[in-house]
Amino acid sequence: ETGVTQSPTHLIKTRGQQVTLRCSSQSGHNTVSWYQQALGQGPQFIFQYYREEENGRGNFPPRFSGLQFPNYSSELNVNALELDDSALYLCASSSRGGYTFGSGTRLTVV
Amino acid sequence: KQEVTQIPAALSVPEGENLVLNCSFTDSAIYNLQWFRQDPGKGLTSLLLIQSSQREQTSGRLNASLDKSSGRSTLYIAASQPGDSATYLCAVPSNNDMRFGAGTRLTVKP
């Protein structure tokens, strides 16, 4: 049974650019959630996907979008990057009960 | 709206001490609570998942308790070790996401 894997681990982008982050969910998990974690804070919910459909969204603007694929892997896309988008982005998969998190992608916007 | 608070924000103890981390939540209608560990710049590692029907869960030197009626959970760490140094986060389900506290940053001194 593999865990949740995220790529890339680190990324530096320029303000205004677009970025795509990727996540492979744990085997058997059909739900994927994305979180943004700023330094010194707890993770903040961006959105969740269940069976390829968005299944809930946090307080993030539309330039944050996502996809889930038939194998339950997922992408997070962020357009028109802003300096405040610099954070650790975490992906979590779940089936019933608890969540399993990946190691995250550290995004720096300069 | 579910809010999660963790006290203290930071804790420094000498090696060997027993310690308690606190987590409180505003909406007691939860079906589980999860404790995570996070090392600097890394993802979240699940420590313990307590279902709403349970009062506590144990894993090695860790024991987590849940009191739904009072909106509280505690994480007890016995015989602390320098390797326990990390940030500890609690989280509860809220609609389709997990709501996190800001964490307790634990330092165990040799």
Side-chain angles (χ1 to χ4, degrees):
Chain A
E1 179 182 275
T2 58
V4 176
T5 57
Q6 292 187 243
S7 63
T9 56
H10 296 84
L11 201 52
I12 299 175
K13 288 286 190 177
T14 303
R15 189 171 51 181
Q17 284 188 314
Q18 178 267 343
V19 68
T20 297
L21 310 182
R22 294 179 174 83
C23 171
S24 296
S25 62
Q26 182 163 318
S27 176
H29 286 188
N30 54 20
T31 302
V32 173
S33 303
W34 285 91
Y35 289 82
Q36 181 195 66
Q37 186 178 25
L39 205 61
Q41 297 182 19
Q44 299 294 315
F45 176 65
I46 302 175
F47 44 56
Q48 181 184 87
Y49 277 82
Y50 171 69
R51 293 187 176 181
E52 303 178 58
E53 297 286 333
E54 188 176 288
N55 189 41
R57 188 178 183 91
N59 189 27
F60 280 81
R63 60 189 184 84
F64 285 77
S65 63
L67 283 173
Q68 187 180 30
F69 299 100
N71 66 354
Y72 303 133
S73 66
S74 177
E75 288 182 354
L76 164 65
N77 299 289
V78 187
N79 293 322
L81 283 166
E82 301 177 359
L83 296 179
D84 285 350
D85 295 333
S86 296
L88 180 67
Y89 288 84
L90 296 163
C91 168
S93 72
S94 59
S95 180
R96 294 178 194 170
Y99 282 44
T100 301
F101 280 82
S103 298
T105 294
R106 169 69 63 187
L107 173 65
T108 302
V109 182
V110 297
Chain B
K1 177 184 173 185
Q2 178 74 272
E3 293 187 2
V4 182
T5 303
Q6 291 189 246
I7 295 173
L11 183 63
S12 180
V13 300
E15 181 177 4
E17 273 206 4
N18 302 323
L19 56 100
V20 174
L21 308 181
N22 297 291
C23 171
S24 61
F25 44 94
T26 54
D27 184 352
S28 61
I30 61 170
Y31 57 87
N32 64 45
L33 182 144
Q34 198 164 359
W35 281 93
F36 295 89
R37 168 185 171 138
Q38 186 174 33
D39 293 297
K42 304 295 184 182
L44 276 61
T45 300
S46 179
L47 298 173
L48 290 163
L49 170 68
I50 313 176
Q51 301 294 343
S52 61
S53 58
Q54 299 173 315
R55 298 283 292 186
E56 62 180 57
Q57 277 280 2
T58 297
S59 175
R61 294 182 293 108
L62 305 179
N63 175 278
S65 67
L66 175 63
D67 184 344
K68 277 184 55 176
S69 61
S70 67
R72 293 181 184 177
S73 176
T74 61
L75 179 67
Y76 175 83
I77 303 177
S80 59
Q81 303 171 359
D84 295 332
S85 298
T87 296
Y88 291 81
L89 296 142
C90 68
V92 295
S94 178
N95 295 324
N96 292 325
D97 69 299
M98 293 278 280
R99 203 60 57 88
F100 285 83
T104 294
R105 188 173 69 253
L106 173 66
T107 303
V108 181
K109 301 176 189 175

